[in-house]
Amino acid sequence: MTPELQLDRQLCFALYAASRSMTQAYQPLLGELGLTYPQYLVLLVLWEQDGASVKQLGERLLLDSGTLTPLLKRLEAAGLLRRRRASDDERRVEVWLSDTGKALEEKAAAIPQAMRCRYGAEGREAESALLRQTLQQLTMLLQGKPG
Amino acid sequence: MTPELQLDRQLCFALYAASRSMTQAYQPLLGELGLTYPQYLVLLVLWEQDGASVKQLGERLLLDSGTLTPLLKRLEAAGLLRRRRASDDERRVEVWLSDTGKALEEKAAAIPQAMRCRYGAEGREAESALLRQTLQQLTMLLQGKPG
DNA sequence: GGAAATTAAATTGTACACAATTAAATATGC
DNA sequence: GCATATTTAATTGTGTACAATTTAATTTCC
């Protein structure tokens, strides 16, 4: 066995396992709101930036239209948002929150604190902020954007 | 906008983005071997532990049979491994590498170094080992296993 | 030793991811 | 001003993820 290929030495697998574990930990909380984890991410962007285009959502979340289009259709079917061709550029599709979608932000506001508790980050704000920044830098590197 | 809900402050999104970026960065290297990233992870386990059961693979990779069964069938169809009911317990399915599957380890041996170069980890072994350990601890926490 | 509980995979159904292609709208260059 | 290139979404097809159910084999417990 090549030592370099040991699973437990792979940063990539540590990332993959942590990311999926985190998503799983969110699931019970998001389930109460009727959301999946990627749907929650889309709403996080829209609560900051209502009316964002599919392209803008994709840039923030690093997702393409092949993922976003069906996801947005499901959120539209759930009544949380509406999709609209922009009048000044018919190629663009703008995504606007409905009142229900806007109102959901209040319920979601409790989630971050609940999760910090869940993964033992309470009282370790500095440590988890550092981890977050390290991951953000790594993402920029992997995306080929000079950091 | 609730400040706590800002996308760029979410550890969960930093993880999600980094994990997918890492998988994307592996893709060109794995593509040459005809593998997807999860398939590569399965092979990492088998190169360490040939003959592992589906359950054992699932425990190492945190995946269930719903994911593994079709993935293993594809690797079997590609001629890299064979699945066999264990004779001492017919519930268990053992996964054994073919000669082709075993031989692939040599080609894969170049991947870790190529990737370290790719994400700027050269000469920063300590830093990336620390990140890996932090992520492994976080995963254990999220999986509810006392760390 | 046989019913009930447990375990291991497979199956079913839904929802991402993402590469590759298509289609429509806008921008560009000559 | 018009052909060409670019941009933006949608579509198509493959491969995960994962919850929930099913099936078959083994344990457990009386």
Side-chain angles (χ1 to χ4, degrees):
Chain A
M1 168 71 201
T2 313
E4 298 240 300
L5 287 178
Q6 282 174 32
L7 182 68
D8 293 339
R9 289 199 189 177
Q10 308 302 316
L11 177 58
C12 65
F13 176 65
L15 266 172
Y16 171 81
S19 176
R20 287 192 304 112
S21 300
M22 183 67 86
T23 300
Q24 287 167 18
Y26 267 84
Q27 202 271 328
L29 295 172
L30 295 177
E32 299 200 7
L33 306 186
L35 296 174
T36 66
Y37 178 71
Q39 289 169 5
Y40 170 70
L41 294 180
V42 165
L43 291 178
L44 287 184
V45 176
L46 292 174
W47 288 327
E48 279 182 43
Q49 190 181 353
D50 197 13
S53 67
V54 173
K55 178 182 167 58
Q56 288 171 322
L57 287 169
E59 285 171 353
R60 289 299 298 280
L61 300 173
L62 307 180
L63 292 170
D64 68 10
S65 66
T67 300
L68 286 172
T69 296
L71 187 158
L72 291 169
K73 284 182 180 175
R74 281 187 283 272
L75 288 176
E76 187 171 33
L80 298 181
L81 53 79
R82 221 159 306 164
R83 298 179 306 135
R84 251 192 49 199
R85 289 277 164 189
S87 52
D88 63 324
D89 183 345
E90 296 272 340
R91 291 172 301 184
R92 241 169 57 229
V93 166
E94 294 175 347
V95 183
W96 294 92
L97 290 167
S98 67
D99 291 344
T100 313
K102 287 176 192 163
L104 206 57
E105 183 177 0
E106 289 172 38
K107 290 189 186 176
I111 291 181
Q113 177 54 31
M115 282 303 302
R116 272 193 296 277
C117 172
R118 177 76 180 72
Y119 60 82
E122 286 181 317
R124 298 199 293 174
E125 313 304 333
E127 194 178 349
S128 80
L130 183 62
L131 174 57
R132 178 171 52 71
Q133 287 162 25
T134 303
L135 293 170
Q136 286 168 342
Q137 285 169 19
L138 177 57
T139 299
M140 289 301 95
L141 256 172
L142 291 167
Q143 292 285 325
K145 294 172 187 170
Chain B
M1 168 71 203
T2 312
E4 298 239 299
L5 288 178
Q6 283 174 31
L7 182 68
D8 292 339
R9 289 199 189 177
Q10 307 302 316
L11 177 57
C12 66
F13 176 64
L15 266 172
Y16 171 83
S19 175
R20 287 192 304 112
S21 299
M22 184 66 87
T23 300
Q24 287 166 18
Y26 268 83
Q27 202 271 329
L29 295 172
L30 295 178
E32 299 200 8
L33 307 185
L35 296 175
T36 66
Y37 179 71
Q39 290 168 5
Y40 170 69
L41 294 181
V42 166
L43 291 178
L44 288 184
V45 176
L46 292 174
W47 288 327
E48 278 181 44
Q49 190 182 353
D50 197 12
S53 67
V54 172
K55 178 181 167 58
Q56 288 172 321
L57 287 169
E59 285 171 352
R60 288 298 298 279
L61 300 174
L62 306 180
L63 293 171
D64 69 9
S65 66
T67 300
L68 287 172
T69 296
L71 188 158
L72 291 170
K73 283 181 179 173
R74 281 187 281 271
L75 287 176
E76 187 171 34
L80 299 180
L81 53 79
R82 222 158 306 164
R83 298 178 307 136
R84 252 192 46 199
R85 288 277 163 188
S87 51
D88 63 325
D89 183 343
E90 296 274 338
R91 290 172 302 184
R92 240 170 57 229
V93 166
E94 294 174 349
V95 183
W96 294 92
L97 290 166
S98 69
D99 291 344
T100 313
K102 286 177 192 163
L104 206 57
E105 182 176 1
E106 288 172 39
K107 290 190 187 176
I111 292 182
Q113 177 54 30
M115 282 302 303
R116 272 193 296 278
C117 171
R118 178 75 180 73
Y119 59 81
E122 285 181 316
R124 298 199 294 175
E125 313 304 334
E127 193 178 350
S128 79
L130 183 62
L131 175 57
R132 178 171 51 71
Q133 286 161 25
T134 303
L135 293 170
Q136 287 168 341
Q137 285 168 20
L138 177 56
T139 299
M140 289 301 95
L141 256 171
L142 290 167
Q143 292 285 325
K145 294 173 187 166

